[in-house]
């Protein structure tokens, strides 16, 4: 494998590092009373938002409809996800150093599966919070559930919820694309050399 | 009518004082005049000039004093929309200021709890001669006090009582870098230098025993506390208004005086006998130097200094027991007297710092003094005697010139930064624009009715923002729909960007605005606090988690440490209180979001409500007098379930054996209240 491809592979692995600096996903809530907006940021290791207290404010709003309070402690994922990312970064760098095409392919496939699993897990959580409502809630709308959108926007009572991947997800996307490119390019190069 | 007014103005100087009174009467007679004539003076596009569309912000914050309501009103300009009322010297039942336990010490004085004052002059804190938007200083006139309002929270954070003063009217005046806030006494009083407080003297001893005082308050903005550094004991005149110099005159502050006759009775005559009173010029830098170099004496005193702690929101009073003072006769070069027209009112220094305008309310001309001529006169010792060891200048040696026929009853002047001055004429009810250099009158604008102060944003600084002028009128009469005998005062907004003044807007104002200040909104708005951080709340009775609430009895006092969050109190069922107990509710608002205050009020309390901002703790005292079950509730509509945000206190007969018990909700734990990112 040519040296520049190995370097590219290392870059692909390292691009996963953006997950430690940026959230993976953002949920924006818009309502007339929140001109400044309310954003929930989902990181690989924590929950954050547009302000320090966004989770408390989400929970205050959600308790009227009987949604369970969101606590970072409820999500085991936030504890083990960073290790998975570190695992992928290390194996990716290793694949780059060793320069083995097949290793690169397995890495890309595994990463894509992990990414898809993450999204599926995310959807399951949204579904759980959106449907597991306290029957004694003050506000009950017959037949109404409050599953926030996975991607795109959805009207939930007075809120317009918008859900979008954030910079952290771009890191995963780049890792998969660059890794895949390394795999494809290295085939052509070996053919000619 | 216009012709008559003009005629009166022309002959006024000849007729003197009597004609002014007549003109006043004639103008008041015009009060119910032709409405068309009035609206005819307003351009058809005036509405567009003051229109701030819904959701848009004003260009300026303006701070209008409330006079006898002891508050500051904040208006947006140019819309004239009321944005906030800031309680300063007066109890404010609306939010519990001066009623709840935290803020009561703010209104403590050496005379005990004084729940009211007469607030006249707001002044913005200064850096490099310009308003910096950090603090607003205001005076309490009746029981002499100076207060500081923090413009990040728009709350009163400090009140300093001024000893040896009575009627703290010419106050507060900041120097160009906020080195000092100056406060002069309106009434001179017998000052006894060997014991604290005022001395005892017969009013017939006025001339010998009464003295005035000018206080030098250090601002110490870094640690946030004012400190009375020293006072100058001045002759026993009445001191009316002051203003600081700028540029070349930056080391000086000027004070108008009246009653230099030292009359103690029927002052409307007694204080109006001398043809000339004085403009006192004080070199504050030299005074500070004298004080630092040991020229100051010390005397016993007794005055309160009240400060609000930033994190606990608890006010504390400290009592000061001495004050330093300087005597002008021992401090050469520190103080001079300039003869000024009889009983002058406002003194205003132009943006260059060269011209001092003395608004002689009873004078036919408007004299302008020259700072450079004053410097020369000091050098040449061009004096005309002295008073109490203070040199008096010859009038001509410091006079730059006089504005001829400016109008009747000049009170105050501000500047537009383009070489023009604008003066209010109380008696002829107009604002007059004139050129500072050539002293020619350029324009007149009738205002309704009888203006006091006027204000141009930055009009008292070295660089005025000469776009708008707000004039605050003393008489309202028919300007708005009638509301019985008591009417709000009226302010008017005038466009001064062109050659001719243009009337834009009338807006009613609370109580009686005296002076005002205004500042570009972007110097204040970005620093505005949205809520207090619960993590930084150091109130000893704060409860930061619903699981930590408590109700405890200590003798006959029951302490309730409770929380509020949308939409419940914890606890909301309280038992074990007995008739005659003193119950103190310490309510912590757990919200951490913008604009979610919760109020707290309980039935039958001989007290106000208290309004608790997010993250803060406030305490309300209640002594139940009869047994029963007393509801309490949130008074500020906080959420869709605000009406459900309520609770009960059971009050049992004295000596009953009902134990202390408290709870919120039944089997389930209460909804989330302490979730946080961490």
């Amino acid at each position: 494998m040519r040296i520049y491809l190995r370097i590219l592979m290392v870059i692909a692995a390292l691009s996963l590092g953006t997950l430690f600096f940026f959230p993976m996903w953002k949920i924006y809530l818009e309502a007339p009373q929140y001109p400044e907006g309310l954003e929930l940021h989902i990181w690989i290791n924590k929950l954050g938002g547009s302000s320090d207290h966004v989770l408390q404010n989400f929970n205050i709003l959600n308790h009227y409809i009987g949604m369970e309070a969101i606590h970072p402690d409820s999500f085991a994922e936030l504890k083990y996800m960073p290790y998975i990312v570190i695992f992928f970064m290390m194996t990716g760098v290793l694949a780059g150093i060793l320069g083995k095409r097949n290793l690169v392919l397995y890495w890309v496939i595994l990463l894509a599966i992990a990414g898809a699993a993450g999204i599926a897990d995310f959807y399951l959580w949204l579904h759980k919070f959106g449907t597991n409502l306290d029957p004694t809630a003050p506000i009950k709308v017959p037949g109404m559930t409050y599953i926030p959108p996975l991607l795109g926007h959805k009207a939930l009572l007075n809120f317009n919820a918008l859900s979008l991947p954030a910079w952290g997800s771009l890191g995963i996307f780049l890792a998969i694309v660059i890794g895949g490119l390394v795999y494809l390019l290295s085939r052509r190069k070996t053919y000619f050399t | 009518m216009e012709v008559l007014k003009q005629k009166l103005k022309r002959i006024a100087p000849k007729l003197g004082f009597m004609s002014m009174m007549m003109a006043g009467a004639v103008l008041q007679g015009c009060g119910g005049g032709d409405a068309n004539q009035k609206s005819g003076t307003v351009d058809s596009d005036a509405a567009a000039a003051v229109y701030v569309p819904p959701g848009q912000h004003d260009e300026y914050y303006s701070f209008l004093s409330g006079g006898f309501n002891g508050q500051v009103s904040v208006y947006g300009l140019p819309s004239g929309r009321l944005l906030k009322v800031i309680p300063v010297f007066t109890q404010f039942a609306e939010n519990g200021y001066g009623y709840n336990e935290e803020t009561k010490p703010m209104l403590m004085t050496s005379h005990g709890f004084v729940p009211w004052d007469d607030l006249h002059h707001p002044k913005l804190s200064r850096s490099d001669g310009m308003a910096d938007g950090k603090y607003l200083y205001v005076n309490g006139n009746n029981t002499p006090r100076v207060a500081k309002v923090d413009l990040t929270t728009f709350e009163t954070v400090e009140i300093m009582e001024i000893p040896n003063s009575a009627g703290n009217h010419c106050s507060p005046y900041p120097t160009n870098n906020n080195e000092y806030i100056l406060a002069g006494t309106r009434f001179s009083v017998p000052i006894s230098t060997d014991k604290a407080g005022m001395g005892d003297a017969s009013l017939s001893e006025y001339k010998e025993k009464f003295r005035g005082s000018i206080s030098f308050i250090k601002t110490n903005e870094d640690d946030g506390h004012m400190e009375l550094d020293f006072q100058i004991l001045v002759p026993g005149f009445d001191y009316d208004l002051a203003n600081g110099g700028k540029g070349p005159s930056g080391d000086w502050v000027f004070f108008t005086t009246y009653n230099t006759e030292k009359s103690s009775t029927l002052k409307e005559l007694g204080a109006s006998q001398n043809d000339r009173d004085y403009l006192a010029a004080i070199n504050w830098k030299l005074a500070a130097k004298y004080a630092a170099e040991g020229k100051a004496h010390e005397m016993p005193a007794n005055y309160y200094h009240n400060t609000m702690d930033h994190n606990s929101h608890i006010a504390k009073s400290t009592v000061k027991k001495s004050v330093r003072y300087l005597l002008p006769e021992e401090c050469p070069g520190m103080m001079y007297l300039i003869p000024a027209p009889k009983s002058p009112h406002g003194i205003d220094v132009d943006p260059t710092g060269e011209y001092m305008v003395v608004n002689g309310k009873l004078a036919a001309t408007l004299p302008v003094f020259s700072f450079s001529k004053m410097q020369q006169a000091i050098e040449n010792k061009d004096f005309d005697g002295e008073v109490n060891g203070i040199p008096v200048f010859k009038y001509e040696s410091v006079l730059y010139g006089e504005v001829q026929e400016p109008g009747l009853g000049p009170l105050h002047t501000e500047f537009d930064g383009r070489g023009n001055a604008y003066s209010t004429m109380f008696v002829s009810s107009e604002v007059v624009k004139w050129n500072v250099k050539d002293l020619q009158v350029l324009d007149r604008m009738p205002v309704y009715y009888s203006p006091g102060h006027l204000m141009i944003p930055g009009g008292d600084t070295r660089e005025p923002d000469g776009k708008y002028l707000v004039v605050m009128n003393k008489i309202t009469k028919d300007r708005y729909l009638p509301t019985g005998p008591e009417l709000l005062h009226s302010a008017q907004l005038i466009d001064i960007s062109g050659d001719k003044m243009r009337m834009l807007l009338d807006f009613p104002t609370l109580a009686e605005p005296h002076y005002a200040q205004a500042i570009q909104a972007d110097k204040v708005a970005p620093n505005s606090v949205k809520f207090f951080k619960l993590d930084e709340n150091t109130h000893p009775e704060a409860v930061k988690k619903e699981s930590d609430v408590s109700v405890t009895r200590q003798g006959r006092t029951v302490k309730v440490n409770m929380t509020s969050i949308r939409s419940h109190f914890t606890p909301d069922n309280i038992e074990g209180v007995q008739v005659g107990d003193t119950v103190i509710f310490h309510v912590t608002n757990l919200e951490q979001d913008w604009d979610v205050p919760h109020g707290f009020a309980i039935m039958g309390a001989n007290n106000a409500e208290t309004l608790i901002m997010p993250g803060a703790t406030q305490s309300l005292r209640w002594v139940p007098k009869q047994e029963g079950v007393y509801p309490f509730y949130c008074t500020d509509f906080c959420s869709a379930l605000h009406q459900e945000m309520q609770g009960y206190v059971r009050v049992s007969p004295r000596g009953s054996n009902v134990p202390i018990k408290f709870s919120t909700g039944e089997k389930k734990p209460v909804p989330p209240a302490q979730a946080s990112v961490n």
Side-chain angles (χ1 to χ4, degrees):
Chain A
M1 202 185 272
R2 301 275 297 263
I3 186 75
Y4 84 93
L5 287 174
R6 293 176 182 217
I7 292 171
L8 263 186
M9 185 56 212
V10 171
I11 290 172
L14 294 182
S15 70
L16 289 173
T18 53
L19 285 164
F20 290 95
F21 300 101
F22 300 100
M24 295 186 286
W25 221 267
K26 288 187 182 179
I27 300 177
Y28 301 84
L29 287 187
E30 274 179 8
Q33 303 85 343
Y34 289 86
E36 71 278 23
L38 206 51
E39 295 176 21
L40 182 62
H41 297 175
I42 299 149
W43 297 63
I44 46 165
N45 57 350
K46 62 181 178 181
L47 299 176
S50 46
S51 79
D52 289 350
H53 309 285
V54 81
L55 211 51
Q56 170 169 327
N57 294 326
F58 258 73
N59 288 336
I60 288 171
L61 296 170
N62 290 343
H63 94 270
Y64 293 120
I65 52 164
M67 190 184 284
E68 198 184 321
I70 304 168
H71 292 291
D73 298 345
S74 322
F75 306 97
E77 290 90 332
L78 298 179
K79 294 200 179 65
Y80 62 70
M81 267 195 300
Y83 297 107
I84 296 177
V85 173
I86 290 167
F87 167 78
F88 272 106
M89 288 175 74
M90 283 165 55
T91 51
V93 170
L94 202 66
I97 292 167
L98 296 176
K100 293 261 199 272
R101 284 191 71 222
N102 283 348
L103 269 185
V104 171
L105 178 64
Y106 300 148
W107 187 84
V108 169
I109 291 170
L110 262 182
L111 182 60
I113 290 170
I119 290 172
D121 181 59
F122 180 40
Y123 178 76
L124 289 176
W125 276 115
L126 293 177
H127 189 272
K128 180 170 181 256
F129 275 102
T131 53
N132 177 26
L133 304 174
D134 185 339
T136 66
I139 298 175
K140 274 186 283 190
V141 181
M144 180 79 182
T145 58
Y146 303 91
I147 306 167
L150 182 64
L151 191 67
H153 71 88
K154 187 176 174 186
L156 299 167
L157 296 186
N158 60 325
F159 280 95
N160 184 19
L162 174 69
S163 183
L164 290 174
W167 291 113
S169 297
L170 188 70
I172 306 179
F173 177 77
L174 279 179
I176 293 173
V177 170
I178 298 172
L181 217 57
V182 168
Y183 175 71
L184 293 176
L185 289 174
S186 60
R187 179 172 57 181
R188 256 202 301 162
K189 296 298 171 196
T190 48
Y191 185 77
F192 285 112
T193 51
Chain B
M1 190 51 64
E2 282 300 310
V3 179
L4 175 59
K5 215 164 73 182
Q6 292 301 327
K7 257 188 194 160
L8 268 167
K9 251 176 252 159
R10 269 204 302 280
I11 59 171
K14 291 166 201 148
L15 294 181
F17 188 69
M18 274 313 292
S19 70
M20 287 186 218
M21 294 295 127
M22 273 170 55
V26 169
L27 279 161
Q28 293 196 7
C30 294
D34 186 357
N36 290 334
Q37 191 189 332
K38 272 181 245 162
S39 59
T41 62
V42 177
D43 291 353
S44 55
D45 62 346
V50 301
Y51 184 67
V52 177
Q56 306 275 303
H57 291 173
D58 277 293
E59 192 179 345
Y60 297 93
Y61 282 100
S62 71
F63 301 92
L64 276 65
S65 72
F68 46 72
N69 73 7
Q71 303 163 344
V72 172
S73 315
V74 185
Y75 291 86
L77 294 180
S79 73
R81 298 191 289 208
L82 178 64
L83 304 177
K84 188 176 173 72
V85 173
I86 307 170
V88 182
F89 297 114
T90 297
Q91 277 182 305
F92 198 52
E94 183 177 320
N95 69 4
Y97 178 84
Y99 288 97
N100 58 41
E101 299 303 302
E102 285 73 16
T103 52
K104 275 189 208 168
M106 289 302 279
L107 302 179
M108 284 303 295
T109 73
S110 61
H111 308 276
F113 184 78
V114 178
W116 171 90
D117 215 312
D118 185 13
L119 188 159
H120 279 228
H121 306 125
K123 278 277 187 181
L124 288 160
S125 58
R126 292 189 177 183
S127 302
D128 195 22
M130 300 295 290
D132 58 17
K134 286 189 196 159
Y135 299 106
L136 184 76
Y137 296 95
V138 293
N139 66 326
N141 194 37
N142 182 53
T143 304
R145 288 177 275 182
V146 168
K148 181 170 94 180
V149 173
D150 184 338
L151 294 184
T152 63
T153 57
F154 285 61
E155 288 176 349
T156 305
V157 293
E158 194 170 358
I159 296 183
M160 162 83 75
E161 192 182 0
I162 311 290
N164 300 323
S165 176
N168 174 42
H169 189 264
C170 58
S171 162
Y173 294 94
T175 54
N176 289 315
N177 284 297
N178 249 39
E179 294 93 342
Y180 282 104
I181 304 292
L182 301 188
T185 186
R186 170 169 158 197
F187 297 88
S188 285
V189 285
I191 294 174
S192 113
T193 52
D194 49 7
K195 72 173 187 59
M198 267 186 290
D200 178 26
S202 157
L203 279 158
S204 63
E205 300 170 294
Y206 186 102
K207 288 191 169 64
E208 303 81 52
K209 294 207 172 158
F210 285 48
R211 287 203 89 154
S213 69
I214 289 166
S215 300
F216 284 62
I217 301 166
K218 257 197 182 147
T219 54
N220 298 334
E221 274 191 9
D222 293 335
D223 68 17
H225 289 318
M226 298 191 282
E227 171 197 347
L228 179 51
D229 193 17
F230 62 94
Q231 299 185 310
I232 300 179
L233 297 191
V234 287
F237 310 149
D238 284 29
Y239 293 80
D240 199 0
L241 285 157
N243 251 313
K246 43 202 82 128
S249 56
D251 294 352
W252 294 77
V253 180
F254 304 93
F255 297 80
T256 50
T257 71
Y258 62 107
N259 193 27
T260 56
E261 298 87 345
K262 299 188 181 176
S263 158
S264 64
T265 183
L266 198 60
K267 286 199 185 184
E268 64 175 316
L269 293 180
S272 306
Q273 295 308 302
N274 290 352
D275 279 343
R276 294 265 159 84
D277 289 299
Y278 301 113
L279 178 68
I282 293 180
N283 185 326
W284 66 263
K285 230 174 211 170
L286 190 58
K289 191 159 164 268
Y290 279 133
E293 284 173 358
K295 283 261 189 193
H297 308 263
E298 195 160 325
M299 70 169 121
N302 183 32
Y303 63 98
Y304 271 62
H305 179 213
N306 310 319
T307 54
M308 175 67 74
D309 182 77
H310 181 68
N311 292 322
S312 66
H313 300 107
I314 297 175
K316 275 199 190 76
S317 298
T318 49
V319 184
K320 308 277 181 170
K321 289 294 183 188
S322 75
V323 64
R324 302 195 303 154
Y325 66 97
L326 293 174
L327 294 170
E329 51 268 39
E330 298 173 359
C331 300
M334 180 178 77
M335 185 170 177
Y336 298 91
L337 297 173
I338 300 171
K342 181 187 280 194
S343 301
H345 195 55
I347 154 71
D348 299 286
V349 183
D350 91 309
T352 67
E354 165 64 10
Y355 302 105
M356 294 98 79
V357 180
V358 172
N359 304 269
K361 61 181 188 259
L362 305 179
T365 63
L366 198 59
V368 178
F369 294 100
S370 154
F371 180 72
S372 52
K373 283 184 85 173
M374 184 183 114
Q375 292 298 90
Q376 218 156 20
I378 292 173
E379 211 169 293
N380 303 340
K381 298 203 176 350
D382 216 351
F383 302 133
D384 188 12
E386 55 176 52
V387 174
N388 289 35
I390 305 163
V392 181
F393 292 115
K394 288 194 185 107
Y395 181 71
E396 289 73 19
S397 66
V398 287
L399 183 74
Y400 172 71
E402 292 176 340
V403 182
Q404 299 300 318
E405 300 185 21
L408 305 176
L411 289 186
H412 298 281
T413 299
E414 290 234 327
F415 307 89
D416 66 3
R418 296 184 293 270
N420 303 310
Y422 300 78
S423 302
T424 47
M425 300 295 151
F426 180 79
V427 177
S428 54
S429 198
E430 59 189 337
V431 170
V432 175
K433 176 182 179 180
W434 52 278
N435 185 282
V436 179
K437 275 262 157 60
D438 64 21
L439 305 175
Q440 294 302 305
V441 172
L442 301 172
D443 192 20
R444 294 174 183 278
M445 167 70 74
V447 296
Y448 303 95
Y449 303 93
S450 294
H453 275 274
L454 77 177
M455 179 274 290
I456 293 168
D460 56 339
T461 67
R462 68 174 168 77
E463 239 172 79
D465 195 352
K467 193 169 172 186
Y468 299 113
L469 182 157
V470 175
V471 59
M472 288 151 275
N473 303 311
K474 300 294 187 193
I475 296 168
T476 306
K477 296 210 164 167
D478 63 340
R479 294 303 286 179
Y480 307 110
L481 286 172
T483 55
E486 190 181 355
L487 307 168
L488 288 187
H489 281 58
S490 175
Q492 294 184 290
L493 183 75
I494 298 169
D495 174 4
I496 55 165
S497 58
D499 285 344
K500 295 285 172 194
M501 291 182 274
R502 204 160 69 104
M503 180 58 75
L504 297 179
L505 179 73
D506 274 23
F507 60 100
T509 52
L510 300 181
E512 183 187 345
H514 290 258
Y515 189 47
Q517 292 267 271
I519 186 167
Q520 290 268 359
D522 59 15
K523 292 216 170 93
V524 174
N527 307 322
S528 200
V529 169
K530 290 187 170 167
F531 57 86
F532 300 114
K533 292 212 164 93
L534 195 58
D535 293 346
E536 293 170 7
N537 178 338
T538 56
H539 194 298
E541 304 296 343
V543 179
K544 300 190 183 179
K545 285 196 297 212
E546 288 185 338
S547 52
D548 292 347
V549 300
S550 64
V551 178
T552 46
R553 172 181 287 283
Q554 283 168 317
R556 292 192 59 173
T557 301
V558 176
K559 203 169 72 151
V560 181
N561 295 72
M562 59 191 287
T563 62
S564 63
I565 196 163
R566 280 165 290 172
S567 303
H568 57 272
F569 292 103
T570 308
D572 65 5
N573 282 194
I574 299 168
E575 291 187 25
V577 173
Q578 297 179 7
V579 171
D581 281 341
T582 296
V583 183
I584 302 178
F585 299 95
H586 301 287
V587 189
T588 301
N589 180 346
L590 295 178
E591 304 281 356
Q592 292 289 274
D593 201 359
W594 191 18
D595 200 13
V596 199
H598 291 295
F600 178 86
I602 185 154
M603 182 174 139
N606 300 113
N607 209 338
E609 68 150 340
T610 190
L611 196 64
I612 310 127
M613 295 303 125
T617 304
Q618 301 268 284
S619 310
L620 200 71
R621 183 180 292 261
W622 172 56
V623 181
K625 297 191 178 65
Q626 296 155 35
E627 60 187 79
V629 174
Y630 287 76
F632 58 83
Y633 67 97
C634 172
T635 54
D636 187 328
F637 208 111
C638 57
S639 63
L641 293 161
H642 159 75
Q643 206 68 352
E644 285 71 21
M645 191 164 173
Q646 57 189 48
Y648 303 92
V649 181
R650 177 180 172 192
V651 177
S652 305
R654 182 96 238 126
S656 112
N657 55 8
V658 178
I660 294 276
K661 207 172 126 196
F662 59 96
S663 61
T664 295
E666 280 153 17
K667 51 195 187 298
K668 268 175 58 79
V670 292
Q674 57 273 9
S676 91
V677 184
N678 308 320

